[in-house]
Amino acid sequence: MKVEEGGISGGVWEALVTATEPPVIEALHGGRVVEGVQVQPVPGQPGRFALRVPIPAWVLNEGLQTILVQSGGQTLATVTLVAGQPLDGDIRVELSLLRAELDLLKRAFQRHVREG
């Protein structure tokens, strides 16, 4: 079984599942079942199923949230949501580190060009 083309739109995570038979899929957040998961055959595409996982309001909280999409205890995909003020600082720190590394690479390249 394979999950592909996942994305979020209108509060619903959607993906395509390739499987030999209709899969039984559940979604979990923090061990709690996410209700309303739908799996339907894709018309004209045998072995392909449309998967829809609604994102409930109780999942939306500060920080990083992950919904596990599973079948038979095996994780097929993860839906990661990021929200809130604390993450703004984390992103700025990461951007600052990337800029510093880019400056180091730029100086090393310029030195290499001068010497070579």
Side-chain angles (χ1 to χ4, degrees):
M1 185 175 334
K2 181 179 174 187
V3 175
E4 54 191 65
E5 299 180 28
I8 297 173
S9 178
V12 178
W13 183 79
E14 299 177 307
L16 291 175
V17 178
T18 303
T20 55
E21 56 187 52
V24 176
I25 294 178
E26 69 177 354
L28 301 166
H29 175 268
R32 184 173 169 188
V33 174
V34 175
E35 300 292 332
V37 173
Q38 298 174 353
V39 179
Q40 297 179 341
V42 176
Q45 296 184 32
R48 303 222 353 150
F49 301 87
L51 170 61
R52 294 176 47 87
V53 178
I55 301 170
W58 56 264
V59 169
L60 302 175
N61 293 299
E62 292 283 325
L64 184 71
Q65 306 299 320
T66 303
I67 296 173
L68 299 176
V69 179
Q70 298 183 331
S71 179
Q74 177 186 1
T75 299
L76 303 174
T78 58
V79 180
T80 304
L81 306 165
V82 180
Q85 292 290 332
L87 293 173
D88 289 343
D90 292 344
I91 291 170
R92 280 188 285 251
V93 168
E94 285 295 320
L95 184 58
S96 177
L97 289 171
L98 286 171
R99 284 182 179 155
E101 290 176 16
L102 183 58
D103 285 342
L104 282 172
L105 288 171
K106 185 171 98 176
R107 284 193 295 266
F109 179 73
Q110 288 171 342
R111 186 174 41 248
H112 173 73
V113 169
R114 278 193 305 259
E115 294 172 359

